[in-house]
Amino acid sequence: MMVLCLTACTTETPSPLVCEVTGGKVQGIPSDDPDVIVFKGIPYAAPPIGALRWVAPQPVLPWDNVLLADHFGPISFQPPHVAGPDSTVISEYGQVDYVKEFFSEGDPQMSEDCLYLNVWKPADAKKGDKLPVAFWIHGGAFIAGFGYEKEFDGDAYAKRGVILVTINYRLGVFGFLTHPDLSAENADHISGNYGMLDQIKALDWTRENIANFGGDPDNITIFGQSAGAMSVRNLLCSPMTKGKIAKAIIQSGGAINPDGSEGMSALPLAEYEQLGKTLMGDLSIRDLRQMSYDQLQEVIGRYTAAHNLPFLMLQPNVDGKVLEGGLSACLEKDFVPHIPIMMGSTLDDMAFTRMGESYAYLASRLAEKGEAPYVYEFRRRLPGNGSGAFHSSELWYVFNTVKRCWRPLGEADEALSERMVDYWTNFMKTGNPNGEGLPEWRACTNGLADVMEFDIEK
């Protein structure tokens, strides 16, 4: 486990920098804003290595001294973000060079030992304050990303009285490989969904520990974008999260079509088991557990080359334990919790996540269940190279990190970001994004007539 401990710390004197968590004590550090304390790289489960590869996350290994949480933990193995030429040609809105956008500084350390989370809290927050909690799940097609990408930050949330938790979880072959032999060794006869189980483990950790940071375990808003948004949908459809989620925000995660179909919906366990068997051929699970990430990627690479695929997106499956079904089916069975929901997309988003009939239909389905959602469309077309309001472009604004962006963003962008974070934090506090000084955002009960549009004031 990647742990650095303070051997000289004493525990007799209470400190706002030190919190008791599952496994031991952790000491945070002042964030860039002196009114915020950040705890980086807190382990929430045992390292999923060796015999724990392709096993549900296990209890965290305890430590003796105070863990100095001053650096982020390793991230899940994933394809490296390799920078291309700066002259990337953007021929239409929606195209973007994601390496230049978010990963130009290179990748952090990658490891199978990746189950770490981060907490931002107000410096004066203490146990008993019961502050609302925001639980962020990063995107990346379930094969990439991490919880502390440069567009993510918790200062703006903590300054508004919301505690932010961001997480890493297993990705790709380590997070979502499904195989009949893995199912056979599991007591519930399931496999895959290890990344989802990591998310649930981190959510459970948050419920068990966040009160010590000043948070309210009964007021947790889960939110995510792209694969993170699909994860939010899945968590709403999981038997393992019942009663654990107070609110949800789905950013560019697709919706539901009138025929019941869903963009990038989870497939049944049996289908993914067959895919895993096809992928791995005659290799045994014992063989696979001894192979490195690069060796496993070579195996997958042969499959994608043979099928002329640019990449293989392994993702969650419907196994009846971790995931009951897709959102459409779970709404039909009234399985989705009756909680406030916010959802939306960007103007030039990917096709299956773009605003349209599917959002109107999902909004109407939720309204039928008594939970009219708040729906938005992010319409700010970012300057710089013609990418427009591309998939993920709103992240600079949702986390108030527009000053970190390479694009020529100005005061109007900062004002838009402040407004969006106000809406987001109001929703996290009360289930209603409206607040003093903000234009009214009506719940969506009339098709898409009540969609909130986010753009700079021109």
Side-chain angles (χ1 to χ4, degrees), residues 65 88 99 168 186 315 359 402:
N65 300 306
T88 300
V99 174
N168 295 341
N186 182 275
Q315 63 183 71
Y359 275 87
V402 293

Side-chain angles (χ1 to χ4, degrees), residues 71-402:
H71 63 284
F72 295 114
I75 67 175
S76 178
F77 274 115
Q78 57 196 269
H81 294 96
V82 179
D86 290 336
S87 59
T88 300
V89 176
I90 304 298
S91 60
E92 60 181 340
Y93 289 135
Q95 293 182 331
V96 64
D97 180 348
Y98 281 107
V99 174
K100 181 176 182 179
E101 194 68 25
F102 299 130
F103 305 104
S104 60
E105 298 171 2
D107 290 317
Q109 178 189 358
M110 297 182 189
S111 173
E112 282 192 77
D113 175 10
C114 63
L115 302 186
Y116 298 86
L117 54 75
N118 319 292
V119 180
W120 284 259
K121 78 176 190 77
D124 60 355
K126 60 187 180 303
K127 188 172 184 178
D129 286 349
K130 291 192 172 183
L131 299 177
V133 181
F135 182 90
W136 173 253
I137 307 170
H138 71 78
F142 295 112
I143 60 172
F146 47 96
Y148 53 95
E149 296 170 19
K150 69 177 180 180
E151 71 274 20
F152 307 149
D153 195 277
D155 283 6
Y157 285 86
K159 287 169 63 177
R160 287 167 170 81
V162 174
I163 295 176
L164 178 69
V165 178
T166 72
I167 68 170
N168 295 341
Y169 55 96
R170 282 174 283 183
L171 302 168
V173 68
F174 292 141
F176 298 99
L177 176 67
T178 307
H179 193 285
D181 291 346
L182 285 172
S183 297
E185 69 179 29
N186 182 275
D188 295 305
H189 306 292
I190 60 175
S191 61
N193 285 339
Y194 307 108
M196 289 300 304
L197 287 164
D198 294 342
Q199 294 174 13
I200 295 168
K201 181 73 170 178
L203 179 62
D204 288 341
W205 183 98
T206 301
R207 283 181 56 82
E208 293 163 3
N209 294 283
I210 206 65
N212 291 338
F213 295 84
D216 183 355
D218 294 320
N219 190 10
I220 298 175
T221 299
I222 61 171
F223 72 134
Q225 183 266 346
S226 193
M230 288 186 276
S231 295
V232 169
R233 291 165 56 126
N234 290 337
L235 291 175
L236 294 177
C237 298
S238 175
M240 301 178 70
T241 64
K242 290 305 173 187
K244 300 176 181 179
I245 301 168
K247 307 172 191 73
I249 303 175
I250 303 169
Q251 300 178 205
S252 296
I256 297 176
N257 298 311
D259 64 1
S261 62
E262 304 175 40
M264 301 302 293
S265 60
L267 296 175
L269 170 64
E271 291 188 33
Y272 265 112
E273 283 181 330
Q274 185 55 50
L275 173 60
K277 182 67 176 176
T278 301
L279 273 174
M280 299 305 168
D282 296 331
L283 292 167
S284 69
I285 298 302
R286 180 180 178 181
D287 292 335
L288 295 174
R289 282 202 170 99
Q290 294 176 343
M291 295 173 70
S292 69
Y293 171 75
D294 289 339
Q295 289 171 325
L296 291 168
Q297 287 301 102
E298 289 179 8
V299 174
I300 294 174
R302 289 194 289 269
Y303 175 89
T304 55
H307 292 79
N308 197 29
L309 298 173
F311 65 92
L312 181 64
M313 180 177 170
L314 298 174
Q315 63 183 71
N317 68 79
V318 177
D319 60 9
K321 180 176 176 64
V322 180
L323 184 56
E324 177 72 15
L327 185 59
S328 181
C330 287
L331 281 170
E332 188 68 28
K333 295 187 293 185
D334 203 23
F335 188 84
V336 176
H338 291 268
I339 60 173
I341 292 177
M342 179 194 296
M343 61 185 182
S345 65
T346 66
L347 179 62
D348 304 309
D349 221 319
M350 297 189 298
F352 85 92
T353 65
R354 193 170 297 136
M355 191 67 65
E357 183 182 40
S358 62
Y359 275 87
Y361 184 68
L362 176 54
S364 67
R365 291 281 298 277
L366 289 168
E368 290 171 0
K369 302 295 183 181
E371 297 296 342
Y374 292 92
V375 182
Y376 73 87
E377 183 173 52
F378 181 80
R379 300 180 64 86
R380 168 57 166 153
R381 283 180 160 156
L382 276 61
N385 63 355
S387 290
F390 57 87
H391 182 70
S392 308
S393 58
E394 87 281 18
L395 295 177
W396 296 115
Y397 298 77
V398 169
F399 289 93
N400 200 215
T401 52
V402 293

